[in-house]
Amino acid sequence: MKKKTSILFAGMMALSTLQANADEGMWTLYNLPDAVYNQMKEYGFNLPYDGLYSGDNAIMKSVINFSGYCSGVVVSPDGLVFTNHHCGFEAIRSHSTVEHDYMLNGFYAKSFEEELPNEDTFVSFMVEQKDITEELRKKGLYDLPIDKQSAFIDSVENVMSKDIKAQDSTLRLEIKPYYEGNKFYATTYRDFNDVRLVFTVPKSMGKYGGETDNWMWPRQTCDYSVFRIYADPKTNGPAAYSKDNVPYHPKHWSKVSLDGYKEGDFAMTVGYPGSTSRYLSSYGIKERRDAQNAPRAQVRGVKQDIMQRHMRADEAVRIKYDSKFAQSSNYWKNSIGMNKCIDSIGIIRQKQEFEQRIKAYQDSTGYLKGKLDFDKMKELYAKRIGTYYVYTNWAETFRNTSEFNTRAARILNGMEVKGPKDKPAKQYVVFDDNSKEWDEALDKDVMAALMKNYREHVDAKHLPAFYATVDKDFGGDYAKYVDYLYDKSILMKSGKKIFFNKKGYKNDPGVQYAMDIKDIFDQLKEQITAVSKDIEQQERYLCDAKIRMEMDLPHYSDANFTMRLSYGQVKNLNVGGKPAGYYTTAESIVEKMKTGDKFVDYYAEPIMHELMGAKDFGKYADKTTGKMQLCFLTNNDITGGNSGSPMFDGNGNLLGLAFDGNWDSLSSDIHFDRVLARCIGVDIRYMLYLMDKWGHADRLLKELGVK
Ligand code: ARG
């Protein structure tokens, strides 16, 4: 690749006043531009620059990545962690049974001994971050073609990881691209794997409003759960679960604040936003809308209707599928909302106009001449979009959508092979009995319906070969074919050895099915990767050109699941002239709450009606408004992955936890709309009120310094 993609990130450093970029942005902390810090101070941030990243009490030291998909914050000297209820959801669900339903009834561990360990839950602390772009450039990274660069990065990461582990075996290092691969940063983490469930409110409150209110404002959801980090008793460092581990004692933790906020007050989130595409071209946005979001929403809609029917009919099925349903539904609704916003805000047109400006800049300066090429970009996307649409349909239909599909993928894509290493004929795999995790009737209904739906949405040439079998041997009846697979295939015989070197292996109908869907996947993948590397290169140039053109402004990189800070203010929302406030009150939830059918999204237990209808909320009520405030709005720039992010006031004290974005700006992953984009947080006083009056969790309130 071209040697001199000389990027000028001068803007990141210089400049004293921000114009266009004020408020927007997910900033890495270690190299926060002075201009951004100064703007934060103007808004009311009171900590010194080193109070963010480098100082002994730096805020970043209390912020964690929760289990690789959420954020959280350490809030006590004994390693107590706050995250969202929907982040702890799977852990809570996994401890729930029809007899002890912590999901429905909530949970409070009255002592350390009662805190519940979780096999798959971990937290990561960021230890250090640095820009290694120039080192990589010197090593020849940018001389390689773009599709060879990630292997190169992997090899550097391996070497650096070994070095770091030699210094301290509890550390781990990761290199990730920033600014569309125009920069690379190395980040060091320390992971703790013994993380125990301490407290959760009932789902009626933790997920109050359910799918109806998801991505919506106004909101009354008390979206939090409480965990504790455990450590090796000798070193206070990470250790695999052991009953002898003890609560972790961090050097720094965040302090909760009962002082609240007013409109216009400084507010900041620090957490782990997963992915944004703010530099994406207009062509890329169109592809996102038509070839990803639209088919994703369509297929999930079909699947979720069936899931819901089965879950309502049987409590045990509901427990099994609670997380699977919430997960699917979350980005089903997001996809619908994002597409609506792309159109109503006119984002593609805005991006096209911006690209005209870049083009004019390029024409007048010659910057990236012969490299960044909008006609080429248009052509490349035109080549990919149709295949991408089919691919999304394929993935939403066949990937992990039923136990059968999961097993089909596992058997082809690798699972633990047992038996003698030197005797291939004796090697086998076994599916453990995991019948606790899925339900056959639901699974089969979903599988059959999605097969039919797939055929209705793609060309015949993209149909896996088994469709011919369905027509020929099952009279086109998908349900019969699915029954046959579940009944006959070795994939569904849990506990049985599957010898894949035996002759019968490939004749098994389930193995055959797995190979058929993989054939289509391989074809789609080949067609997509043939253009993707050129698209990636064009998008990288586009990002480079934007930053160069606007070199007077600081630029943040797209989210990539590394720690970011986003600052702004507590701010109300006004949609189409209708003011929607900046906080909700106890009165609003009392009005909305229902009793009776617990499947209604606004259902809450009688005790919650009582507690939220209290006359006096004591120290948890807001001192200015006199109200019990539940959720609140800021204009902090967040996205998926930020869930559970601490929301800090100007002194670095905890106001609440971020847990959602709003419907009016669901396109903010590709374009941050300064008027409409909001972060929805749960007020710390609401969390503590329920911890106190519902949970009577005195030992935790003492630990937090509240009692
Ligand atoms: N939309 C929120 C997020 O992505 C909450 C998701 C969980 N809640 C739900 N009702 N599914 O973080």
Side-chain angles (χ1 to χ4, degrees), residues 86 207 210-211 214-215 326 330 643 659-660:
H86 76 265
K207 203 186 168 186
E211 303 308 324
N214 191 19
W215 302 112
N330 196 29
S643 289
F659 72 93
D660 214 354

Side-chain angles (χ1 to χ4, degrees), residues 355-463:
E355 284 160 7
Q356 288 301 320
R357 281 178 50 211
I358 297 256
K359 175 105 189 20
Y361 171 78
Q362 199 187 8
D363 289 345
S364 70
T365 61
Y367 192 65
L368 292 175
K369 195 158 174 257
K371 291 179 175 170
L372 175 62
D373 179 340
F374 288 101
D375 292 332
K376 186 167 172 192
M377 187 156 0
K378 182 175 176 182
E379 220 172 90
L380 289 165
Y381 271 105
K383 268 196 205 153
R384 190 171 77 171
I385 190 166
T387 318
Y388 217 113
Y389 171 83
V390 180
Y391 169 72
T392 304
N393 269 285
W394 182 94
E396 293 291 335
T397 302
F398 297 115
R399 183 176 284 159
N400 280 327
T401 46
S402 59
E403 180 62 17
F404 200 93
N405 276 320
T406 303
R407 291 187 184 199
R410 282 185 67 202
I411 197 139
L412 295 190
N413 299 340
M415 52 193 291
E416 197 200 342
V417 176
K418 300 181 174 166
K421 283 211 173 56
D422 50 337
K423 295 204 182 87
K426 297 213 160 141
Q427 290 169 356
Y428 62 90
V429 292
V430 176
F431 288 105
D432 295 334
D433 177 8
N434 61 345
S435 48
K436 256 186 29 230
E437 306 292 329
W438 55 281
D439 175 72
E440 187 166 323
L442 181 155
D443 241 38
K444 283 174 162 178
D445 274 0
V446 165
M447 195 171 165
L450 293 192
M451 277 178 185
K452 175 167 176 289
N453 184 68
Y454 180 77
R455 185 182 231 166
E456 287 162 5
H457 287 86
V458 307
D459 274 0
K461 66 174 187 231
H462 300 300
L463 293 181

